[in-house]
């Protein structure tokens, strides 16, 4: 288990940073400048919120499980609240979905989360 955890951690560090802006509908995520805009307006996110949104955007259109999110956004050795992913998804929804009256982050019941533009 420890070997696998270390390999995953190294693979995340070795991954090249995306230099292109990810666009989902009118949501734009720029990993280089660590900025997010929605409908042309800037969205202020914490470092963890940005990491979560970037991970979901990198897998846009795919269902991502809570375990995958924990492994990639939080450290594999994270020990804390079991609902931390749900809490941070709630933060993103309040800062993006509710603020701009959009629906980007979708819950797939029993599976995880999906980031896409539209219903």
């Amino acid at each position: 288990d420890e070997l696998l955890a270390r390999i995953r951690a190294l693979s995340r560090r070795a991954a090249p940073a995306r230099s292109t802006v990810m666009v989902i509908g009118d949501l734009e995520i720029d990993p280089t400048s660590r900025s997010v805009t929605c409908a042309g307006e800037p969205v202020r996110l914490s470092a963890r919120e940005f990491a979560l949104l970037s991970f979901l955007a990198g897998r846009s259109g795919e269902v991502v499980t809570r375990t995958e999110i924990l492994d990639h956004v939080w450290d594999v050795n994270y020990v804390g609240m079991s609902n931390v992913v749900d809490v941070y998804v709630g933060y993103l929804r309040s800062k993006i979905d509710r603020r701009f009256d959009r629906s980007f982050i979708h819950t797939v019941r029993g599976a995880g989360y999906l980031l896409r533009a539209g219903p």
Side-chain angles (χ1 to χ4, degrees), residues 34-74:
R34 298 186 61 82
S35 63
V36 176
T37 59
C38 187
E41 292 186 43
V43 179
R44 294 184 52 148
L45 299 177
S46 70
R48 188 72 69 188
E49 292 165 347
F50 183 84
L52 174 57
L53 183 62
S54 294
F55 180 67
L56 291 172
R59 305 270 307 268
S60 180
E62 298 176 31
V63 175
V64 182
T65 67
R66 286 173 179 81
T67 303
E68 290 174 311
I69 293 170
L70 279 172
D71 285 350
H72 288 88
V73 177
W74 282 264

Side-chain angles (χ1 to χ4, degrees), residues 2-116:
E2 183 176 347
L3 177 62
L4 288 174
R6 289 177 186 259
I7 289 171
R8 274 188 244 133
L10 287 172
S11 69
R12 283 194 308 267
R13 278 187 233 141
R18 288 185 170 185
S19 60
T20 59
V21 175
M22 295 179 271
V23 179
I24 295 97
D26 58 359
L27 180 68
E28 295 182 9
I29 304 151
D30 186 349
T32 305
S33 66
R34 298 186 61 82
S35 63
V36 176
T37 59
C38 187
E41 292 186 43
V43 179
R44 294 184 52 148
L45 299 177
S46 70
R48 188 72 69 188
E49 292 165 347
F50 183 84
L52 174 57
L53 183 62
S54 294
F55 180 67
L56 291 172
R59 305 270 307 268
S60 180
E62 298 176 31
V63 175
V64 182
T65 67
R66 286 173 179 81
T67 303
E68 290 174 311
I69 293 170
L70 279 172
D71 285 350
H72 288 88
V73 177
W74 282 264
D75 187 72
V76 75
N77 296 319
Y78 173 77
V79 177
M81 297 185 315
S82 61
N83 68 339
V84 70
V85 172
D86 303 325
V87 169
Y88 274 84
V89 166
Y91 293 159
L92 287 177
R93 283 182 171 151
S94 68
K95 290 183 177 183
I96 298 170
D97 287 0
R98 290 185 201 106
R99 177 178 167 201
F100 295 98
D101 195 29
R102 304 285 198 276
S103 184
F104 289 107
I105 303 167
H106 304 273
T107 302
V108 179
R109 193 171 184 154
Y113 294 101
L114 171 72
L115 182 72
R116 70 168 185 244

